[in-house]
Structures are given as C-alpha cells and as structure tokens.
C-alpha cells in the first residue's frame, strides 16, 4: 500500500467529469482502492474520490467515523463505491459544514439533500445499494460531486460561512 498525492483546488483533474471504471476486477483498481483507503485514513478524511488522487475514474472511498455519527446513525467502516449513482429521496435538505482534502484546513457551509439513495459496485463487481441520511448522505454527495468535477465551494451560497477549520472548531474527520 502507498499514500497517494492529493490534488489541491486549482488542479484541472478536479474540474473534469470522471470516466466510468471499465474493469472493476483489475488489479490496478484493487490497488488504487487500497491506496485510497490508506490515504483517506492517514489524512483523517471521511472520503476520497479518485480525481482527488489524479485518477479521472468514477469511484470513491468513504467511511463514517463514530465522532461524526448523527443521532441514530451507526459508524460505517471504510468502503468503496464504483460507478455510483446518487439520487435524492425527497426535497428535504440540510446544511453541512464541509471540508475537503483538496482544500486543506478550510470549511464552508453547503446545502445538501437530507436523504439519498445510492447504488454502485463493490470490488467484486457486486451491485450495492441503500439509503443514507445525515453525515452518511453528506459524504456520499460530497464525493459524488468530485466525480462530476464539482468542489463544495461551487455549491456555497454564502461565503461568510467559508473559512479556516480552526476558526470553526470542527473536527478534521469531516474532510472528504
């Protein structure tokens, strides 16, 4: 396993729509996912999309650490979602204070869907699907945006809520 270099805001790979993963079973994809999980955990992030490590592919890794669980939510260990689809379950929204490993040390408030359905593939090529709420829904939407070439700052409507993490006193595990 290896720690991967994270692309920072301004790098063109972060603004491109990522390409579908053609061969889920390839050793290259398995190694990439393993390295991405190691990089995400080492960086104390909650998620990491392939474009953030200079790979324009439609996959991301994520987890929901216990400190970030909302009421009724259980921690989720690291997992991958390949060629994901994310759809809102209804019109309900929530405000999320987000960070991003590609914008280190910064935070901003973004409006997200409060509940989403997700579907994609795991490393075995098995279809996985479910519904997510709270922080889990937040992470899925944030990482999916990376696959579309969208940074959370592009979704912000009030830049008075944008600043350095230490000024907001938000745990670093909220980065994705």
């Amino acid at each position: 396993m290896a720690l991967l270099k994270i692309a920072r805001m301004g790098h063109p790979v972060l603004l491109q729509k990522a390409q579908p993963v053609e061969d889920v079973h390839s050793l290259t994809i398995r190694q990439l996912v393993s390295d991405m999980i190691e990089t995400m955990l080492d960086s104390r992030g909650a998620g990491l999309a392939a474009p953030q490590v200079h790979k324009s592919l439609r996959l991301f890794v994520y987890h929901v650490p216990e400190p970030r669980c909302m009421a009724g939510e259980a921690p989720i260990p690291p997992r991958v979602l390949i060629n994901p689809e994310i759809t809102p379950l209804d019109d309900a929204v929530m405000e999320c204070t987000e960070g991003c490993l590609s914008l280190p040390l910064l935070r901003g408030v973004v409006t997200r869907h409060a509940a989403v359905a997700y579907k994609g593939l795991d490393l075995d090529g098995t279809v996985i699907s479910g519904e997510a709420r709270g922080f889990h829904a937040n992470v899925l939407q944030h990482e999916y945006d990376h696959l579309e070439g969208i940074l959370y700052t592009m979704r912000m409507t009030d830049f008075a809520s944008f600043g350095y993490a230490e000024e907001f006193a938000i745990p670093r595990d909220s980065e994705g």
Side-chain angles (χ1 to χ4, degrees):
M1 291 197 280
L3 294 179
L4 303 172
K5 183 176 179 176
I6 298 173
R8 294 190 308 169
M9 185 172 63
H11 195 288
V13 73
L14 296 173
L15 301 176
Q16 300 169 358
K17 187 168 181 171
Q19 299 302 306
V21 174
E22 300 291 333
D23 182 7
V24 174
H25 303 288
S26 79
L27 292 176
T28 302
I29 294 299
R30 288 187 178 280
Q31 186 63 55
L32 175 61
V33 168
S34 177
D35 291 345
M36 286 176 63
I37 289 172
E38 182 178 4
T39 302
M40 173 186 69
L41 295 174
D42 182 74
S43 301
R44 297 181 57 201
L48 185 64
Q52 290 182 275
V53 293
H54 305 272
K55 303 291 183 190
S56 188
L57 294 169
R58 296 190 74 77
L59 72 85
F60 59 79
V61 299
Y62 71 97
H63 71 131
V64 176
E66 186 151 359
R68 297 297 296 162
C69 289
M70 298 172 109
E73 237 183 343
I76 297 173
R79 55 176 61 162
V80 65
L81 201 54
I82 301 170
N83 296 332
E85 298 171 25
I86 307 285
T87 53
L89 290 176
D90 54 38
D91 292 332
V93 295
M94 61 184 174
E95 287 199 338
C96 305
T97 301
E98 296 190 12
C100 182
L101 296 174
S102 294
L103 288 82
L105 308 177
L106 295 170
R107 298 286 179 276
V109 175
V110 178
T111 301
R112 297 282 187 189
H113 294 284
V116 297
Y118 63 92
K119 179 179 171 185
L121 302 173
D122 66 13
L123 275 178
D124 295 322
T126 303
V127 174
I128 51 176
S129 62
E131 294 181 357
R133 289 172 175 67
F135 186 71
H136 185 193
N138 180 195
V139 170
L140 292 176
Q141 292 171 85
H142 177 105
E143 298 310 327
Y144 185 83
D145 271 358
H146 278 298
L147 307 183
E148 296 294 309
I150 298 169
L151 297 173
Y152 78 87
T153 52
M154 299 161 119
R155 294 210 181 270
M156 291 181 64
T157 57
D158 180 4
F159 278 87
S161 69
F162 185 57
Y164 287 96
E166 63 189 28
E167 302 300 328
F168 287 108
I170 303 288
R172 289 212 47 205
D173 283 331
S174 64
E175 291 186 3

XYZ file of all heavy atoms in Angstrom, residues 70-161:
698
model
N -24.499 11.044 13.420
C -25.604 11.842 13.927
C -26.539 10.907 14.694
O -26.363 9.686 14.660
C -26.311 12.528 12.763
C -25.386 13.501 12.014
S -26.130 14.129 10.520
C -26.421 15.805 11.010
N -27.521 11.444 15.371
C -28.457 10.640 16.165
C -29.044 9.514 15.323
O -29.525 9.745 14.215
C -29.564 11.524 16.715
N -28.953 8.299 15.840
C -29.499 7.137 15.159
C -28.604 6.559 14.081
O -28.966 5.582 13.435
N -27.447 7.151 13.860
C -26.513 6.681 12.835
C -25.460 5.784 13.467
O -24.992 6.063 14.566
C -25.792 7.897 12.217
C -25.931 8.020 10.752
C -25.124 9.198 10.184
O -24.706 10.104 10.924
O -24.923 9.182 8.986
N -25.073 4.751 12.752
C -24.003 3.866 13.205
C -22.748 4.154 12.392
O -22.841 4.552 11.222
C -24.420 2.410 13.033
N -21.573 3.951 12.984
C -20.336 4.123 12.210
C -20.324 3.168 11.010
O -20.912 2.087 11.061
C -19.229 3.757 13.197
C -19.859 3.777 14.542
C -21.313 3.528 14.347
N -19.674 3.581 9.938
C -19.533 2.741 8.748
C -18.038 2.588 8.486
O -17.329 3.591 8.374
C -20.225 3.383 7.530
C -21.724 3.496 7.797
C -19.947 2.585 6.261
C -22.486 4.268 6.737
N -17.553 1.348 8.396
C -16.134 1.144 8.129
C -15.796 1.559 6.696
O -16.706 1.727 5.860
C -15.958 -0.367 8.319
C -17.299 -0.948 8.061
C -18.295 0.096 8.502
N -14.519 1.714 6.377
C -14.134 2.117 5.017
C -14.715 1.176 3.965
O -14.709 -0.041 4.133
C -12.614 2.039 5.047
C -12.264 2.290 6.475
C -13.355 1.603 7.260
N -15.242 1.807 2.904
C -15.788 1.041 1.789
C -15.607 1.817 0.498
O -15.267 2.993 0.517
C -17.246 0.685 2.022
C -18.161 1.858 2.300
C -19.625 1.490 2.426
N -19.847 0.560 3.519
C -21.023 0.335 4.074
N -22.081 0.961 3.648
N -21.162 -0.507 5.064
N -15.867 1.153 -0.600
C -15.734 1.759 -1.927
C -17.087 1.751 -2.618
O -17.916 0.863 -2.377
C -14.675 1.010 -2.782
C -15.108 -0.424 -3.083
C -14.383 1.766 -4.071
N -17.294 2.726 -3.479
C -18.451 2.756 -4.357
C -17.927 3.079 -5.762
O -17.329 4.136 -5.977
C -19.457 3.806 -3.877
C -20.899 3.659 -4.331
C -21.480 2.280 -4.011
C -21.762 4.734 -3.702
N -18.112 2.119 -6.678
C -17.593 2.237 -8.047
C -18.749 2.507 -9.001
O -19.798 1.866 -8.905
C -16.844 0.944 -8.445
C -15.679 0.691 -7.478
C -16.347 1.026 -9.886
C -15.012 -0.668 -7.629
N -18.546 3.430 -9.919
C -19.576 3.858 -10.880
C -20.897 4.150 -10.163
O -21.958 3.633 -10.524
C -19.766 2.806 -11.980
C -18.511 2.634 -12.824
O -17.719 3.557 -12.983
N -18.314 1.446 -13.349
N -20.850 5.022 -9.152
C -22.037 5.250 -8.318
C -23.125 6.069 -8.993
O -22.867 6.836 -9.926
C -21.469 6.019 -7.122
C -20.325 6.769 -7.705
C -19.714 5.839 -8.738
N -24.321 5.869 -8.469
C -25.475 6.710 -8.788
C -26.031 7.182 -7.448
O -26.175 6.386 -6.519
C -26.545 5.900 -9.522
C -26.087 5.343 -10.854
C -27.102 4.368 -11.445
O -28.308 4.461 -11.107
O -26.683 3.521 -12.234
N -26.303 8.473 -7.345
C -26.850 9.059 -6.121
C -28.109 9.825 -6.518
O -28.062 10.662 -7.429
C -25.844 10.042 -5.457
C -24.472 9.410 -5.237
C -26.424 10.641 -4.185
C -24.379 8.432 -4.117
N -29.219 9.545 -5.839
C -30.460 10.259 -6.129
C -31.121 10.688 -4.822
O -31.153 9.918 -3.856
C -31.449 9.396 -6.943
O -31.639 8.158 -6.271
C -30.927 9.133 -8.338
N -31.658 11.911 -4.780
C -32.355 12.371 -3.572
C -33.613 11.538 -3.338
O -34.280 11.129 -4.288
C -32.731 13.816 -3.886
C -32.072 14.173 -5.163
C -31.626 12.925 -5.825
N -33.929 11.304 -2.069
C -35.148 10.573 -1.728
C -36.364 11.490 -1.675
O -37.490 11.048 -1.869
C -34.984 9.849 -0.392
C -34.025 8.660 -0.418
C -33.871 8.084 0.985
C -34.515 7.590 -1.381
N -36.119 12.768 -1.378
C -37.216 13.738 -1.321
C -36.610 15.135 -1.412
O -35.430 15.278 -1.739
C -38.053 13.558 -0.047
C -37.220 13.590 1.224
O -36.257 14.394 1.293
O -37.525 12.829 2.157
N -37.390 16.149 -1.112
C -36.919 17.532 -1.229
C -36.292 18.082 0.048
O -35.840 19.225 0.070
C -38.078 18.448 -1.646
C -38.545 18.169 -3.071
O -37.722 17.704 -3.892
O -39.734 18.402 -3.355
N -36.269 17.285 1.118
C -35.709 17.764 2.390
C -34.200 18.017 2.233
O -33.493 17.244 1.591
C -35.952 16.745 3.498
N -33.745 19.115 2.835
C -32.323 19.472 2.761
C -31.765 19.692 4.162
O -32.507 19.819 5.125
C -32.094 20.731 1.884
C -32.464 20.459 0.438
C -32.833 21.938 2.426
N -30.456 19.735 4.224
C -29.763 20.015 5.481
C -28.555 20.879 5.150
O -28.034 20.847 4.037
C -29.324 18.713 6.162
C -28.359 17.876 5.364
S -27.983 16.310 6.198
C -26.980 15.508 4.936
N -28.115 21.652 6.123
C -26.895 22.438 5.959
C -25.746 21.648 6.539
O -25.841 21.138 7.665
C -27.028 23.799 6.624
C -27.933 24.726 5.857
C -27.720 26.181 6.225
O -27.195 26.476 7.324
O -28.091 27.029 5.401
N -24.664 21.545 5.779
C -23.496 20.766 6.185
C -22.264 21.651 6.178
O -22.023 22.360 5.202
C -23.269 19.615 5.195
S -24.693 18.543 4.970
N -21.515 21.621 7.251
C -20.223 22.296 7.259
C -19.222 21.291 6.720
O -18.980 20.258 7.330
C -19.838 22.753 8.670
O -20.848 23.642 9.149
C -18.492 23.468 8.667
N -18.690 21.591 5.538
C -17.838 20.634 4.841
C -16.398 21.106 4.768
O -16.107 22.296 4.754
C -18.353 20.403 3.418
C -19.718 19.763 3.391
C -20.132 19.302 2.001
O -19.296 19.259 1.077
O -21.321 18.970 1.852
N -15.534 20.119 4.690
C -14.133 20.318 4.393
C -13.798 19.399 3.242
O -14.626 18.603 2.798
N -12.577 19.493 2.763
C -12.159 18.666 1.636
C -10.648 18.504 1.682
O -9.935 19.483 1.924
C -12.600 19.324 0.335
S -12.202 18.384 -1.153
N -10.193 17.298 1.451
C -8.749 17.062 1.451
C -8.051 17.831 0.327
O -6.850 18.062 0.390
C -8.452 15.561 1.346
C -8.938 14.734 2.541
C -8.733 13.247 2.271
C -8.246 15.156 3.824
N -8.805 18.257 -0.688
C -8.243 19.056 -1.775
C -8.231 20.550 -1.468
O -7.682 21.338 -2.227
C -9.021 18.804 -3.077
O -8.832 17.473 -3.507
N -8.852 20.937 -0.355
C -8.829 22.317 0.139
C -8.446 22.250 1.609
O -9.266 22.506 2.490
C -10.207 22.974 0.013
C -10.723 23.345 -1.366
C -11.334 22.165 -2.074
C -11.711 24.469 -1.231
N -7.222 21.838 1.906
C -6.853 21.568 3.294
C -7.081 22.755 4.215
O -6.856 23.895 3.837
C -5.370 21.203 3.212
C -4.910 21.566 1.856
C -6.109 21.719 0.979
N -7.584 22.421 5.402
C -7.773 23.339 6.517
C -8.952 24.300 6.369
O -9.195 25.090 7.270
C -6.490 24.127 6.808
C -5.214 23.292 7.005
C -4.021 24.205 7.204
C -5.377 22.338 8.166
N -9.682 24.236 5.257
C -10.797 25.153 5.036
C -12.134 24.452 5.251
O -12.241 23.236 5.098
C -10.740 25.725 3.621
C -9.520 26.605 3.334
C -9.427 26.914 1.847
C -9.593 27.886 4.151
N -13.167 25.224 5.590
C -14.523 24.720 5.799
C -15.515 25.722 5.220
O -15.244 26.920 5.163
C -14.859 24.566 7.292
C -14.002 23.593 8.039
C -14.373 22.155 7.679
N -13.531 21.218 8.384
C -12.322 20.824 7.989
N -11.798 21.287 6.890
N -11.640 19.953 8.691
N -16.678 25.180 4.841
C -17.753 26.039 4.358
C -19.085 25.332 4.472
O -19.152 24.107 4.489
N -20.147 26.108 4.549
C -21.491 25.548 4.689
C -22.104 25.347 3.301
O -22.101 26.262 2.469
C -22.381 26.460 5.560
C -23.816 25.938 5.593
C -21.809 26.540 6.973
N -22.625 24.135 3.100
C -23.234 23.733 1.836
C -24.600 23.121 2.140
O -24.748 22.379 3.115
C -22.344 22.685 1.111
C -22.976 22.223 -0.179
C -20.952 23.245 0.864
N -25.579 23.398 1.307
C -26.888 22.759 1.435
C -26.861 21.445 0.649
O -26.475 21.421 -0.518
C -28.001 23.679 0.898
O -27.961 24.902 1.645
C -29.364 23.038 1.038
N -27.263 20.371 1.314
C -27.293 19.030 0.701
C -28.660 18.407 0.927
O -29.398 18.806 1.830
C -26.237 18.118 1.349
C -24.802 18.552 1.168
C -24.302 18.220 -0.189
N -22.852 18.488 -0.286
C -22.200 18.440 -1.416
N -22.810 18.129 -2.534
N -20.905 18.698 -1.435
N -28.969 17.385 0.143
C -30.183 16.598 0.378
C -30.017 15.866 1.702
O -28.949 15.331 1.994
C -30.427 15.616 -0.752
C -30.736 16.298 -2.042
N -31.953 16.867 -2.319
C -29.964 16.537 -3.118
C -31.929 17.409 -3.507
N -30.729 17.230 -4.021
N -31.075 15.814 2.493
C -31.021 15.168 3.807
C -31.001 13.649 3.698
O -30.487 12.971 4.591
C -32.208 15.612 4.659
N -31.530 13.109 2.605
C -31.566 11.651 2.420
C -31.391 11.333 0.946
O -32.000 11.984 0.081
C -32.882 11.090 2.935
N -30.556 10.352 0.660
C -30.295 9.937 -0.722
C -30.334 8.413 -0.833
O -30.092 7.701 0.141
C -28.925 10.443 -1.235
C -28.885 11.964 -1.272
C -27.774 9.894 -0.414
N -30.625 7.971 -2.041
C -30.455 6.556 -2.381
C -29.135 6.453 -3.140
O -28.779 7.370 -3.890
C -31.610 6.078 -3.250
N -28.418 5.373 -2.908
C -27.167 5.178 -3.630
C -27.115 3.777 -4.220
O -27.756 2.849 -3.742
C -25.956 5.429 -2.727
C -25.824 4.486 -1.562
C -25.075 3.315 -1.670
C -26.444 4.769 -0.347
C -24.954 2.445 -0.587
C -26.332 3.910 0.727
C -25.590 2.754 0.602
O -25.480 1.896 1.664
N -26.351 3.662 -5.303
C -26.187 2.383 -5.986
C -24.841 2.422 -6.689
O -24.436 3.457 -7.220
C -27.318 2.196 -6.991
C -27.261 0.911 -7.779
C -28.467 0.843 -8.713
C -28.344 -0.308 -9.680
N -29.440 -0.299 -10.659
N -24.136 1.326 -6.683
C -22.851 1.227 -7.356
C -22.332 -0.189 -7.217
O -23.075 -1.111 -6.869
N -21.057 -0.348 -7.483
C -20.416 -1.654 -7.418
C -19.361 -1.670 -6.325
O -18.744 -0.649 -6.031
C -19.742 -1.980 -8.756
C -20.629 -1.981 -9.994
C -19.779 -2.156 -11.251
C -21.696 -3.050 -9.898
N -19.148 -2.855 -5.750
C -18.016 -3.031 -4.841
C -16.856 -3.630 -5.631
O -16.939 -3.781 -6.867
C -18.405 -3.876 -3.616
C -18.753 -5.316 -3.947
O -18.478 -5.798 -5.074
O -19.290 -5.997 -3.051
N -15.779 -3.990 -4.968
C -14.591 -4.510 -5.655
C -14.803 -5.879 -6.294
O -14.025 -6.288 -7.143
C -13.400 -4.586 -4.685
C -12.615 -3.303 -4.526
C -11.504 -3.478 -3.503
C -12.048 -2.823 -5.849
N -15.856 -6.582 -5.896
C -16.161 -7.873 -6.509
C -17.099 -7.721 -7.698
O -17.484 -8.706 -8.316
C -16.791 -8.817 -5.470
C -15.816 -9.156 -4.361
O -14.614 -9.332 -4.656
O -16.249 -9.229 -3.197
N -17.517 -6.480 -7.991
C -18.445 -6.244 -9.076
C -19.890 -6.470 -8.676
O -20.788 -6.442 -9.513
N -20.122 -6.664 -7.382
C -21.471 -6.863 -6.862
C -22.166 -5.514 -6.716
O -21.566 -4.558 -6.208
C -21.409 -7.568 -5.489
O -20.716 -8.806 -5.635
C -22.794 -7.814 -4.932
N -23.420 -5.447 -7.156
C -24.198 -4.219 -7.006
C -24.530 -4.035 -5.526
O -25.004 -4.957 -4.862
C -25.500 -4.280 -7.834
C -26.372 -3.048 -7.549
C -25.186 -4.379 -9.317
N -24.230 -2.853 -5.028
C -24.596 -2.496 -3.661
C -25.490 -1.266 -3.735
O -25.291 -0.389 -4.580
C -23.369 -2.250 -2.754
C -22.390 -1.270 -3.380
C -22.657 -3.544 -2.447
C -21.221 -0.909 -2.502
N -26.477 -1.233 -2.875
C -27.399 -0.098 -2.890
C -27.946 0.102 -1.489
O -27.843 -0.776 -0.633
C -28.533 -0.339 -3.885
O -29.290 -1.467 -3.500
N -28.505 1.267 -1.282
C -29.093 1.560 0.018
C -29.549 2.989 0.081
O -29.569 3.697 -0.926
N -29.927 3.380 1.279
C -30.331 4.754 1.547
C -29.424 5.320 2.627
O -28.965 4.580 3.496
C -31.791 4.801 2.003
C -32.755 4.374 0.926
C -34.203 4.433 1.367
O -34.484 4.756 2.551
O -35.068 4.155 0.523
N -29.154 6.600 2.535
C -28.277 7.258 3.509
C -28.919 8.552 3.976
O -29.559 9.263 3.188
C -26.915 7.529 2.890
N -28.701 8.846 5.250
C -29.186 10.082 5.855
C -28.045 10.689 6.677
O -27.069 10.027 6.968
C -30.384 9.786 6.757
C -31.623 9.425 5.991
C -32.771 8.932 6.878
N -33.983 8.718 6.106
C -34.136 7.767 5.171
N -33.163 6.934 4.903
N -35.277 7.658 4.503
N -28.218 11.929 7.060
C -27.245 12.564 7.933
C -25.864 12.658 7.309
O -25.717 12.917 6.111
N -24.848 12.446 8.152
C -23.470 12.578 7.681
C -23.162 11.600 6.553
O -22.442 11.937 5.614
C -22.489 12.398 8.843
C -21.060 12.662 8.455
C -20.636 13.953 8.177
C -20.159 11.625 8.344
C -19.317 14.204 7.800
C -18.841 11.862 7.969
C -18.422 13.159 7.698
N -23.721 10.396 6.608
C -23.523 9.408 5.547
C -23.989 9.991 4.206
O -23.279 9.911 3.196
C -24.287 8.125 5.900
C -24.071 6.994 4.960
N -24.872 5.890 4.974
C -23.169 6.766 3.976
C -24.475 5.031 4.051
N -23.439 5.548 3.425
N -25.165 10.590 4.176
C -25.680 11.215 2.949
C -24.786 12.366 2.510
O -24.523 12.548 1.318
C -27.111 11.703 3.166
N -24.309 13.130 3.468
C -23.412 14.253 3.187
C -22.144 13.773 2.487
O -21.745 14.298 1.440
C -23.086 14.974 4.491
C -22.160 16.170 4.355
O -21.632 16.637 5.346
N -21.944 16.693 3.161
N -21.514 12.749 3.041
C -20.266 12.235 2.469
C -20.496 11.703 1.054
O -19.710 11.990 0.137
C -19.647 11.132 3.368
C -18.494 10.435 2.678
C -19.194 11.715 4.690
N -21.564 10.945 0.858
C -21.834 10.396 -0.473
C -22.008 11.505 -1.509
O -21.455 11.433 -2.609
C -23.081 9.514 -0.443
C -22.979 8.210 0.341
C -24.331 7.509 0.361
C -21.906 7.294 -0.208
N -22.750 12.544 -1.159
C -22.975 13.642 -2.098
C -21.697 14.419 -2.375
O -21.416 14.801 -3.525
C -24.062 14.570 -1.559
C -25.435 13.913 -1.546
C -26.444 14.753 -0.820
O -27.047 15.656 -1.409
N -26.624 14.489 0.472
N -20.908 14.652 -1.339
C -19.645 15.377 -1.496
C -18.716 14.618 -2.442
O -18.148 15.199 -3.376
C -18.993 15.572 -0.121
C -17.661 16.252 -0.180
N -17.492 17.568 0.191
C -16.436 15.807 -0.552
C -16.206 17.894 0.034
N -15.557 16.836 -0.414
N -18.560 13.314 -2.199
C -17.645 12.517 -3.030
C -18.178 12.363 -4.450
O -17.416 12.411 -5.419
C -17.371 11.156 -2.389
C -16.697 11.233 -1.022
C -15.460 12.119 -0.968
O -14.717 12.216 -1.977
O -15.228 12.739 0.082
N -19.485 12.187 -4.598
C -20.081 12.088 -5.926
C -19.822 13.381 -6.711
O -19.535 13.335 -7.911
C -21.581 11.800 -5.824
C -22.212 11.580 -7.166
C -22.158 10.332 -7.784
C -22.846 12.623 -7.840
C -22.728 10.132 -9.037
C -23.415 12.436 -9.081
C -23.349 11.189 -9.682
O -23.901 10.999 -10.926
N -19.932 14.520 -6.043
C -19.640 15.793 -6.714
C -18.244 15.786 -7.317
O -18.030 16.307 -8.421
C -19.770 16.964 -5.737
C -21.177 17.535 -5.670
O -22.074 17.063 -6.404
O -21.378 18.463 -4.858
N -17.263 15.208 -6.620
C -15.900 15.139 -7.173
C -15.890 14.409 -8.509
O -15.125 14.760 -9.409
C -14.947 14.443 -6.201
C -14.424 15.334 -5.123
N -13.661 16.458 -5.375
C -14.542 15.261 -3.781
C -13.337 17.037 -4.238
N -13.865 16.331 -3.245
N -16.733 13.391 -8.657
C -16.783 12.637 -9.912
C -17.397 13.457 -11.040
O -17.196 13.163 -12.212
C -17.566 11.333 -9.721
C -17.103 10.443 -8.573
C -17.913 9.158 -8.548
C -15.610 10.155 -8.637
N -18.139 14.489 -10.664
C -18.776 15.380 -11.633
C -17.940 16.639 -11.883
O -18.363 17.520 -12.629
C -20.171 15.774 -11.145
C -21.130 14.598 -11.048
C -21.443 14.002 -12.414
O -21.808 14.764 -13.334
O -21.316 12.770 -12.567
N -16.780 16.751 -11.219
C -15.930 17.931 -11.377
C -16.402 19.125 -10.568
O -16.145 20.275 -10.926
N -17.088 18.844 -9.457
C -17.653 19.909 -8.618
C -16.989 19.892 -7.244
O -16.952 18.856 -6.580
C -19.179 19.714 -8.454
C -19.870 19.789 -9.820
C -19.759 20.748 -7.484
C -21.320 19.345 -9.796
N -16.458 21.026 -6.818
C -15.932 21.184 -5.467
C -17.014 21.809 -4.594
O -17.873 22.554 -5.086
C -14.695 22.088 -5.470
C -13.498 21.560 -6.254
C -12.409 22.623 -6.328
C -12.973 20.283 -5.649
N -16.973 21.536 -3.291
C -18.038 22.032 -2.412
C -18.163 23.551 -2.458
O -19.261 24.100 -2.297
C -17.889 21.517 -0.974
C -16.855 22.209 -0.129
C -17.164 23.356 0.599
C -15.565 21.700 -0.014
C -16.221 23.979 1.398
C -14.623 22.307 0.784
C -14.944 23.450 1.479
O -13.999 24.062 2.263
N -17.071 24.234 -2.711
C -17.127 25.698 -2.779
C -18.030 26.168 -3.914
O -18.608 27.257 -3.841
C -15.721 26.290 -2.962
O -15.086 25.646 -4.076
C -14.872 26.090 -1.724
N -18.181 25.348 -4.955
C -19.037 25.706 -6.088
C -20.521 25.611 -5.719
O -21.375 26.134 -6.431
C -18.726 24.803 -7.277
C -17.288 24.932 -7.750
S -16.821 23.517 -8.737
C -16.446 24.310 -10.275
N -20.821 24.965 -4.608
C -22.208 24.830 -4.138
C -22.537 25.830 -3.027
O -23.672 25.915 -2.600
C -22.441 23.415 -3.633
C -22.363 22.373 -4.731
C -23.258 21.213 -4.414
N -23.202 20.184 -5.423
C -24.004 20.133 -6.486
N -24.909 21.064 -6.677
N -23.894 19.154 -7.349
N -21.552 26.562 -2.578
C -21.786 27.515 -1.490
C -22.587 28.718 -1.980
O -22.389 29.185 -3.095
C -20.452 27.977 -0.893
C -19.731 26.884 -0.135
S -18.181 27.461 0.593
C -18.818 28.658 1.750
N -23.478 29.208 -1.119
C -24.264 30.399 -1.463
C -23.907 31.580 -0.564
O -24.244 32.715 -0.886
C -25.770 30.103 -1.348
O -26.061 29.657 -0.023
C -26.197 29.050 -2.362
N -23.233 31.326 0.548
C -22.888 32.389 1.497
C -21.432 32.222 1.913
O -21.112 31.361 2.735
C -23.804 32.319 2.721
C -23.499 33.396 3.744
O -22.632 34.265 3.487
O -24.127 33.370 4.818
N -20.560 33.027 1.350
C -19.136 32.884 1.657
C -18.755 33.453 3.016
O -17.602 33.346 3.429
C -18.283 33.450 0.523
C -18.141 32.455 -0.596
C -19.090 32.389 -1.600
C -17.100 31.546 -0.616
C -18.996 31.450 -2.606
C -16.992 30.608 -1.608
C -17.943 30.555 -2.617
N -19.720 33.996 3.747
C -19.453 34.380 5.136
C -19.240 33.120 5.983
O -18.674 33.197 7.068
C -20.600 35.212 5.689
N -19.697 31.974 5.475
C -19.533 30.703 6.204
C -18.304 29.937 5.743
O -18.146 28.762 6.070
C -20.770 29.825 6.005
O -20.843 29.378 4.653
